[in-house]
Amino acid sequence: MQLFLDTTDTAVLKDLAATGLVDGVTTNPTLIARSGRPMAQVIAEICDLVEGPVSAEVAAMDVEGMLAEGRKLSAIATNVVVKVPLTRNGLIATTAFAHEGIQTNVTLCFSASQALLAAKAGASYISPFIGRLDDHGADGMALIGEIRAIYDNYGFDTEILAASIRTPAHVTAAALAGADCATIPPATFEALFKHPLTDKGLEQFMADWAKTGQSIL
Ligand code: E4P
């Protein structure tokens, strides 16, 4: 499973990328606004920090605007993936991008039927929003399973990118449901490393090791 970082914070990204466990990055207009920096500059910097896919989202709502913005974003670096909203226009643009060889991440997916259309449009990635569905009283993780079954039934190669992840349990459940990737906020990514029994066990091992008076080197 590929693990992406859902952030525009390049300092945090640099730190986590050093673990070798960050396969890519996703951004959205909210995260760009939060950075307080020009989008092109932030995306270029992120693309320098990670070799994997970096999603950069269009802001236009019309097809021509999406295509113009997507081509411009795609020219920033070879690993840019153009993020397109799951609207009728967004899927028309997705098909055009597929013909041009531009990778796409279709975002704001909340149903299996939307995901089916995105795959038919030739999306490289589909982003079902788990957390926001849960907030809405639905079962976000069930959607991952439905999309997995549909894509497998027809051999679609669109990758399922579990988005709007809020907890380590979301990451585990997305992996069990067959998501290809998950995009994770930095704090949740950090939490993936941790377990209280790991800390407790290590404390005991270190205390016992100190009693031996030995040194491995
Ligand atoms: C990533 O592609 C999405 O934009 C992001 O995961 C949304 O997360 P949120 O629902 O926590 O804003």
Side-chain angles (χ1 to χ4, degrees):
M1 189 192 207
Q2 298 166 77
L3 300 181
F4 297 167
L5 210 55
D6 200 21
T7 191
T8 49
D9 187 328
T10 49
V12 165
L13 170 60
K14 201 170 181 177
D15 179 52
L16 276 167
T19 64
L21 296 169
V22 177
D23 299 302
V25 173
T26 55
T27 67
N28 62 35
T30 303
L31 293 171
I32 294 290
R34 201 175 293 162
S35 78
R37 299 171 58 205
M39 180 179 184
Q41 195 183 89
V42 178
I43 297 297
E45 218 172 282
I46 293 173
C47 289
D48 278 346
L49 292 170
V50 292
E51 284 180 15
V54 174
S55 289
E57 188 161 342
V58 297
M61 303 289 277
D62 61 306
V63 177
E64 283 314 311
M66 286 179 185
L67 292 176
E69 289 182 359
R71 289 175 190 132
K72 188 168 177 185
L73 292 170
S74 165
I76 293 175
T78 52
N79 52 336
V80 166
V81 172
V82 176
K83 208 169 173 193
V84 176
L86 208 159
T87 59
R88 185 178 168 134
N89 283 345
L91 294 187
I92 293 170
T94 296
T95 302
F97 284 133
H99 288 138
E100 293 179 28
I102 291 176
Q103 295 247 306
T104 50
N105 172 1
V106 175
T107 189
L108 290 167
C109 171
F110 294 95
S111 76
S113 56
Q114 288 181 315
L116 172 61
L117 293 183
K120 284 179 69 68
S124 315
Y125 299 90
I126 182 70
S127 287
F129 275 37
I130 307 310
R132 292 193 197 189
L133 267 172
D134 287 354
D135 294 345
H136 202 250
D139 181 355
M141 211 48 70
L143 177 58
I144 300 281
E146 288 174 8
I147 300 173
R148 180 74 281 153
I150 290 169
Y151 284 8
D152 289 349
N153 280 349
Y154 297 98
F156 288 121
D157 55 13
T158 300
E159 294 195 51
I160 302 171
L161 202 181
S164 191
I165 292 278
R166 304 274 163 78
T167 62
H170 269 159
V171 179
T172 311
L176 286 168
D180 298 289
C181 348
T183 187
I184 308 166
T188 307
F189 203 107
E190 292 279 9
L192 289 176
F193 290 96
K194 297 185 180 134
H195 194 286
L197 292 180
T198 303
D199 297 340
K200 193 176 170 198
L202 192 57
E203 197 180 320
Q204 180 72 59
F205 284 160
M206 290 305 99
D208 291 341
W209 176 249
K211 286 180 211 155
T212 71
Q214 297 181 45
S215 159
I216 294 173
L217 294 178

